[in-house]
PDB file of all heavy atoms in Angstrom:
ATOM      1  N   ALA A  45      83.527 187.692 -58.570  1.00 59.00           N
ATOM      2  CA  ALA A  45      82.997 188.975 -59.008  1.00 59.00           C
ATOM      3  C   ALA A  45      81.506 189.131 -58.723  1.00 59.00           C
ATOM      4  O   ALA A  45      80.971 190.220 -58.816  1.00 59.00           O
ATOM      5  CB  ALA A  45      83.247 189.156 -60.502  1.00 59.00           C
ATOM      6  N   ARG A  46      80.854 188.067 -58.382  1.00 63.00           N
ATOM      7  CA  ARG A  46      79.393 188.110 -58.234  1.00 63.00           C
ATOM      8  C   ARG A  46      79.035 188.065 -56.756  1.00 63.00           C
ATOM      9  O   ARG A  46      78.914 186.999 -56.172  1.00 63.00           O
ATOM     10  CB  ARG A  46      78.784 186.960 -59.015  1.00 63.00           C
ATOM     11  CG  ARG A  46      79.181 187.045 -60.505  1.00 63.00           C
ATOM     12  CD  ARG A  46      78.655 185.933 -61.325  1.00 63.00           C
ATOM     13  NE  ARG A  46      77.218 185.953 -61.459  1.00 63.00           N
ATOM     14  CZ  ARG A  46      76.535 186.775 -62.257  1.00 63.00           C
ATOM     15  NH1 ARG A  46      77.157 187.674 -62.963  1.00 63.00           N
ATOM     16  NH2 ARG A  46      75.234 186.701 -62.340  1.00 63.00           N
ATOM     17  N   THR A  47      78.842 189.229 -56.167  1.00 66.00           N
ATOM     18  CA  THR A  47      78.571 189.300 -54.736  1.00 66.00           C
ATOM     19  C   THR A  47      77.110 189.557 -54.409  1.00 66.00           C
ATOM     20  O   THR A  47      76.673 189.230 -53.312  1.00 66.00           O
ATOM     21  CB  THR A  47      79.442 190.392 -54.084  1.00 66.00           C
ATOM     22  OG1 THR A  47      79.187 191.633 -54.736  1.00 66.00           O
ATOM     23  CG2 THR A  47      80.924 190.039 -54.195  1.00 66.00           C
ATOM     24  N   ALA A  48      76.338 190.136 -55.328  1.00 78.00           N
ATOM     25  CA  ALA A  48      74.909 190.344 -55.088  1.00 78.00           C
ATOM     26  C   ALA A  48      74.223 188.978 -55.010  1.00 78.00           C
ATOM     27  O   ALA A  48      74.585 188.041 -55.735  1.00 78.00           O
ATOM     28  CB  ALA A  48      74.300 191.192 -56.199  1.00 78.00           C
ATOM     29  N   ALA A  49      73.238 188.856 -54.139  1.00 83.00           N
ATOM     30  CA  ALA A  49      72.652 187.550 -53.822  1.00 83.00           C
ATOM     31  C   ALA A  49      72.071 186.826 -55.028  1.00 83.00           C
ATOM     32  O   ALA A  49      72.376 185.652 -55.247  1.00 83.00           O
ATOM     33  CB  ALA A  49      71.581 187.711 -52.747  1.00 83.00           C
ATOM     34  N   ARG A  50      71.242 187.484 -55.817  1.00 86.00           N
ATOM     35  CA  ARG A  50      70.568 186.780 -56.915  1.00 86.00           C
ATOM     36  C   ARG A  50      71.560 186.324 -57.995  1.00 86.00           C
ATOM     37  O   ARG A  50      71.543 185.142 -58.363  1.00 86.00           O
ATOM     38  CB  ARG A  50      69.466 187.654 -57.502  1.00 86.00           C
ATOM     39  CG  ARG A  50      68.572 186.921 -58.470  1.00 86.00           C
ATOM     40  CD  ARG A  50      67.352 187.798 -58.814  1.00 86.00           C
ATOM     41  NE  ARG A  50      66.437 187.105 -59.660  1.00 86.00           N
ATOM     42  CZ  ARG A  50      66.469 187.159 -60.991  1.00 86.00           C
ATOM     43  NH1 ARG A  50      67.374 187.883 -61.600  1.00 86.00           N
ATOM     44  NH2 ARG A  50      65.599 186.498 -61.702  1.00 86.00           N
ATOM     45  N   PRO A  51      72.432 187.193 -58.514  1.00 86.00           N
ATOM     46  CA  PRO A  51      73.405 186.709 -59.503  1.00 86.00           C
ATOM     47  C   PRO A  51      74.329 185.636 -58.935  1.00 86.00           C
ATOM     48  O   PRO A  51      74.684 184.676 -59.617  1.00 86.00           O
ATOM     49  CB  PRO A  51      74.188 187.957 -59.901  1.00 86.00           C
ATOM     50  CG  PRO A  51      73.311 189.100 -59.550  1.00 86.00           C
ATOM     51  CD  PRO A  51      72.507 188.638 -58.366  1.00 86.00           C
ATOM     52  N   ARG A  52      74.699 185.790 -57.674  1.00 88.00           N
ATOM     53  CA  ARG A  52      75.566 184.787 -57.040  1.00 88.00           C
ATOM     54  C   ARG A  52      74.844 183.441 -56.963  1.00 88.00           C
ATOM     55  O   ARG A  52      75.437 182.386 -57.201  1.00 88.00           O
ATOM     56  CB  ARG A  52      75.999 185.264 -55.664  1.00 88.00           C
ATOM     57  CG  ARG A  52      77.006 184.353 -55.006  1.00 88.00           C
ATOM     58  CD  ARG A  52      77.592 184.997 -53.749  1.00 88.00           C
ATOM     59  NE  ARG A  52      78.540 184.131 -53.120  1.00 88.00           N
ATOM     60  CZ  ARG A  52      79.804 183.978 -53.498  1.00 88.00           C
ATOM     61  NH1 ARG A  52      80.272 184.683 -54.499  1.00 88.00           N
ATOM     62  NH2 ARG A  52      80.610 183.140 -52.874  1.00 88.00           N
ATOM     63  N   ALA A  53      73.556 183.480 -56.652  1.00 91.00           N
ATOM     64  CA  ALA A  53      72.774 182.241 -56.580  1.00 91.00           C
ATOM     65  C   ALA A  53      72.763 181.528 -57.927  1.00 91.00           C
ATOM     66  O   ALA A  53      72.935 180.305 -57.993  1.00 91.00           O
ATOM     67  CB  ALA A  53      71.345 182.544 -56.111  1.00 91.00           C
ATOM     68  N   PHE A  54      72.567 182.286 -59.012  1.00 88.00           N
ATOM     69  CA  PHE A  54      72.578 181.661 -60.339  1.00 88.00           C
ATOM     70  C   PHE A  54      73.936 181.041 -60.627  1.00 88.00           C
ATOM     71  O   PHE A  54      74.027 179.939 -61.158  1.00 88.00           O
ATOM     72  CB  PHE A  54      72.226 182.678 -61.431  1.00 88.00           C
ATOM     73  CG  PHE A  54      70.750 182.919 -61.536  1.00 88.00           C
ATOM     74  CD1 PHE A  54      70.209 184.120 -61.148  1.00 88.00           C
ATOM     75  CD2 PHE A  54      69.909 181.943 -62.033  1.00 88.00           C
ATOM     76  CE1 PHE A  54      68.856 184.348 -61.238  1.00 88.00           C
ATOM     77  CE2 PHE A  54      68.543 182.149 -62.134  1.00 88.00           C
ATOM     78  CZ  PHE A  54      68.009 183.368 -61.731  1.00 88.00           C
ATOM     79  N   THR A  55      75.003 181.743 -60.275  1.00 88.00           N
ATOM     80  CA  THR A  55      76.343 181.226 -60.537  1.00 88.00           C
ATOM     81  C   THR A  55      76.616 179.984 -59.693  1.00 88.00           C
ATOM     82  O   THR A  55      77.212 179.019 -60.170  1.00 88.00           O
ATOM     83  CB  THR A  55      77.401 182.312 -60.280  1.00 88.00           C
ATOM     84  OG1 THR A  55      77.084 183.452 -61.080  1.00 88.00           O
ATOM     85  CG2 THR A  55      78.791 181.825 -60.649  1.00 88.00           C
ATOM     86  N   LEU A  56      76.172 180.000 -58.449  1.00 92.00           N
ATOM     87  CA  LEU A  56      76.317 178.810 -57.609  1.00 92.00           C
ATOM     88  C   LEU A  56      75.571 177.626 -58.234  1.00 92.00           C
ATOM     89  O   LEU A  56      76.060 176.491 -58.211  1.00 92.00           O
ATOM     90  CB  LEU A  56      75.802 179.077 -56.194  1.00 92.00           C
ATOM     91  CG  LEU A  56      76.692 179.947 -55.318  1.00 92.00           C
ATOM     92  CD1 LEU A  56      75.931 180.403 -54.076  1.00 92.00           C
ATOM     93  CD2 LEU A  56      77.967 179.213 -54.938  1.00 92.00           C
ATOM     94  N   GLY A  57      74.405 177.879 -58.789  1.00 92.00           N
ATOM     95  CA  GLY A  57      73.654 176.820 -59.453  1.00 92.00           C
ATOM     96  C   GLY A  57      74.413 176.235 -60.629  1.00 92.00           C
ATOM     97  O   GLY A  57      74.479 175.019 -60.804  1.00 92.00           O
TER      98      GLY A  57
END
Side-chain angles (χ1 to χ4, degrees):
R46 302 178 67 76
T47 57
R50 190 170 184 268
R52 186 170 180 81
F54 280 110
T55 304
L56 286 167

